[in-house]
Amino acid sequence: MISQLFILSSKGDPLIYKDFRGDCGGSDVAEIFYRKVTELPGDQPPVVMVHHKGHHFVHIRHFGLYLVVTTSGGVSPFIVLELLSRLATLLSDYCGSLSEKTLSLNVALVYELLDEVLDYGYIQTTSTEMLRNFIQTEAVVSKPFNLFELSSVGLFGAETQQSKVAPSSAASRPVLTGRSDQSHKNEVFLDVVERLSVLIGSNGSLLKVDVQGEIRLKSFLPSCSEMRLGLTEEFCVGKSELRGYGPGVRVDEVSFHGSVRLDEFESHRILRLQPPQGELTIMRYQLSDDLPSPLPFRLFPSVQWDRGSGRLQVYLKLRCDLPPKSQALHVKLHLPLPRGVASLSQDLSSPEQKAELGEGVLRWDLPRVQGGSQLCGLFQMDVPGLPDPPSPAPPLGLGPASLSFELPRYTCSGLQVRFLRLTAPGTPGNTSPHTWVRHLSHSDTYVIRI
Amino acid sequence: MPYLGSEDIVKELKKALCNPHIQADRPRYRNVIQKVIRMPDLDQWGQAEVLGFLLRYQPRSEEELFAILNLLDSSLQSSSPAVVMAATKLFLILAKEFPHVQTDVLVRVKGPLLAACSSESRELCFAALCHVRRILRSLPGHFSSHYKKFFCSYSEPHYIKLQKVEVLCELVNDENVQQVLEELRDYCTDVSADLAQAAIFAIGGIARTYTDQCVQILTELLVLRQEHITSAVVQTFRNLVWLCPQCTEAICQALPGCEESIQDSEGKQALIWLLGVHGETIPNAPYVLEDFVENVKAETFPGVKMELLTALLRLFLSRPAECQDMLGRLLYYCIEEEKDMAIRDRGLFYYRLLLTGIDEVKQILCSPKSDPSLGLLEDQAERPVNSWASEFNTLVPMYSKACWAAISSLQVSEPRGPEPSGTGVLSPSGSLISENKAELQPLSDSGSFLLVPNGQLTAEQFEKTWLSLEVAHQEVLPWQGVAHPDTIQTALQMVNIQTIALSKAGVQPWKAYLSAQDGSGCVFLTELLLDPEHLQVRLSVKQSHVKAEALNSFISVLKTVIGTIVDIKS
């Protein structure tokens, strides 16, 4: 199965190296891999590469780190890739987050984990429940988690919404602390995250829309209590199902984690499970072509190109079609420009926006866009020496505009979590666990052709 | 040993697979396997491992086969892609006698595969795409209705975009061809030159069936006058003209004006070839070639110069008045001033050919302008599922065909010239060879009998050794039709059998002398004597050391090769 496993930083420094079978060369294999992966010609995929003597490198990249495995050719790529992803999740559960720094602080813990997860190259288990019994080392966190250091504390000591809103870094502390440490709060974080992929043609027609959604759970509860999760009652799967009287919340396909019990799903759309400590994806769903709500953004570009002087004027009008109370955050528009554009003059409708030209691409940053609003930007540039095609098309290289954004408290499909209840086994003196539920959509790719 | 949930299951599995007594007792073996299959508590890794182990199991009867398939049915719907893929492979292999069951399984696994193709994990997405391509080779229409999932997104890494373009090219059908072509057309103007060229070659691949629309799109792309785009389009035109002669006219009309934008070697060669072969219909062909001739001294690519020689001579045959002068200048340059000997030799050859007379030149240079039947040969590439089922869910699909052939060949003596990624068309002789390659590859890999390439045996040595040895084995094999030396030689080369001497096709008596050497140094010399009246060939084998087992292995290899050659021709 797996001969060696090693983790490299983005510059190729070996952080972790473990040889399971001793049949595939020594620790210089990490250097060989790094050299290979950086020298690979552009069209060859890096995921699987050949090492000598019938062994292959398979790797994934996780936030810049390389997690690499050497293995023989007959092994299933899906098993290996899933193992590497699961390992990355497991390491971040234990260490708080997975980065070069946290790995270097927790080397002993990582090796202990690898010992338990893989034995002679065979996968034993990656379940946190089982591993908890074997792992003795404590995780070292780079900075202790301290609520007071965060900016959600109000000015002049005024009371804020602190009790209702957890800062976004709350979930990033290590999940699996030692058994002796009971002082941390019992908390459960539930995220309904949707990824939106949209392609709009140059005439404004919608060519493709795809929503991939996940319900993810991160549980800090040490003991297994049962969790009941209620979804929108009108949740329908497939095109033919109909529930309730309205248009309902419809998805095309849905798949659940193996440990979720679906007895009450048919009747009341309730999921039951016993959450293990750590991260878990409870449900995955997917919807295409038929969104119940309008698309969040529409772009109306208007291009004027004076061939004689080479002056190009691009007027972009961005309209946000979200409901007026919602807003979109961290909106970035990315527009490739024709070759040779050196300078840009801009005219934006609001002072908090920013636009700059970098590497032949126009980047327009809008930190916050309120639902229902329209934002405009006028950009003028000089396009030197383009050849002169007869058709009145926009100049070549004025590429498709791509948007990236986050929509907090909004799901494109309309799916909402109605309730989340935990029945904790009565541990005396234990307060009932806090549950935090978050709905979030963000763009996966949102391309508008000009 | 993988941790399969409990010690009991491990014990049971070990019993079933390792204990010969249990394996001998069929009912007990079956019971053990059934117990393992009903494993209740295995996590995803355990399930995937057990599904892998079960590949070794041969069900006794059809009932048992379907019983196993029913028991394992739920694995196909697991949330872990590893388990789903392992289950799919098991089903495909177990059901190898039942193609409709295989098709059914592939239909059921469509959903999970498509979900994996849109996964957040890039690497999982790539693995799923490679497997989708394998499936498309057998069931081209399988994913046609889901073509939108294979549109490239802006942020994807390059290697995923290339795979998706290939998939789009392969799943085209009447209903989605319009949208797919529009999408590909958009990629042709992408910022990345590699993706643009891959998209253009993909359109070229689709053009074999939907010629008019594709030629229209490609002609429009020429208007943009972008270097990499024009080069790729002209190369695609060259390939298309060979397979679809009906579009020649449209292409010839589009060509004038391209020469200004092409700078790279491949593009120039393609353009020059087109001008040479179809120059009579292109008005300014001689003038374009004249430009190249003027600049031939500054030309750095030898391939371009070779192509130029041939093309100009061909054009001379159809338009002598315009080409005579520059042909003379070109020949003079090639013979007197060119430093590359290959070009000089060709120039000399053409000069002497011209001296012998115009009829000789016509005979040699006027080759057929197209060969549409080659397209049909290639399109027969719908392979049965069984040909790739054993490689499904391994690392083999993750590499391109050429890479894997290079990796799995036992000796790394000569690289096999990888196909450029993105071309949907092989060179004319390539398709036949790749058929051979696919069928003969498992042959040279299997078992412990290896044939080593030995280039050192000369004709004299062969003759001496032949005369000194006794005949170890003689056999008669069926044979049909005329023997084509090239096909035979290439086929034998695939399994490292060297051809010392081979009679020309149609000569009587037809003989061939082969030599091969195995890993232990034992040399096999073979004579093939064709007997056309009885439609058979007599095989005589001599070996340098007496080794009966090696002899048998060699003969079986040789017989398989001969069988394959006979199949291809008939």
Side-chain angles (χ1 to χ4, degrees), chain A residues 42 45-46 48-50 56 61 73 76-78 82 124 126 195 207 212 256 286 334 339 396 445 449, chain B residues 1 3 44-45 79-82 85 118 120 123 148-149 153-154 159 183 186 226 393 395 398-399 407:
Chain A
V48 180
M49 295 191 300
V50 181
H56 304 257
R61 293 209 69 178
S76 157
F78 292 95
E82 221 181 302
Q124 302 297 300
T126 53
R195 281 185 295 145
L207 294 177
Q212 305 272 343
F256 299 94
Q286 172 245 334
H334 189 276
R339 258 188 301 187
L396 188 68
T445 83
R449 295 197 175 135
Chain B
M1 192 62 194
Y3 177 73
Q44 74 223 71
W45 314 113
S79 59
S80 154
M85 288 298 136
S118 342
E120 262 184 313
E123 293 82 9
K148 284 194 183 169
K149 300 260 180 198
S153 1
Y154 183 74
Y159 57 92
E183 186 67 19
D186 237 43
Q226 288 288 301
N393 205 23
L395 292 182
M398 313 276 286
Y399 291 103
I407 293 167

Side-chain angles (χ1 to χ4, degrees), chain A residues 380-402:
Chain A
Q380 284 168 335
M381 60 207 90
D382 280 316
V383 182
L386 264 188
D388 203 33
S391 66
L396 188 68
L398 191 65
S402 49

Side-chain angles (χ1 to χ4, degrees), chain B residues 491-513:
Chain B
L492 291 168
Q493 189 72 18
M494 291 281 150
V495 287
N496 293 321
I497 298 180
Q498 184 194 9
T499 315
I500 303 288
L502 202 60
S503 307
K504 269 201 329 197
V507 161
Q508 298 281 3
W510 190 91
K511 281 193 206 181
Y513 287 97

Side-chain angles (χ1 to χ4, degrees), chain B residues 358-379:
Chain B
I358 212 70
D359 290 324
E360 298 279 348
V361 183
K362 278 205 175 125
Q363 207 179 21
I364 293 190
L365 280 183
C366 287
S367 47
K369 295 202 179 178
S370 65
D371 192 359
S373 63
L374 213 60
L376 291 173
L377 244 185
E378 273 225 344
D379 286 341

Side-chain angles (χ1 to χ4, degrees), chain A residues 13-14 90 148 241 248 313 355:
Chain A
D13 310 314
L90 205 56
F148 293 108
E241 212 183 338
Q313 188 171 289

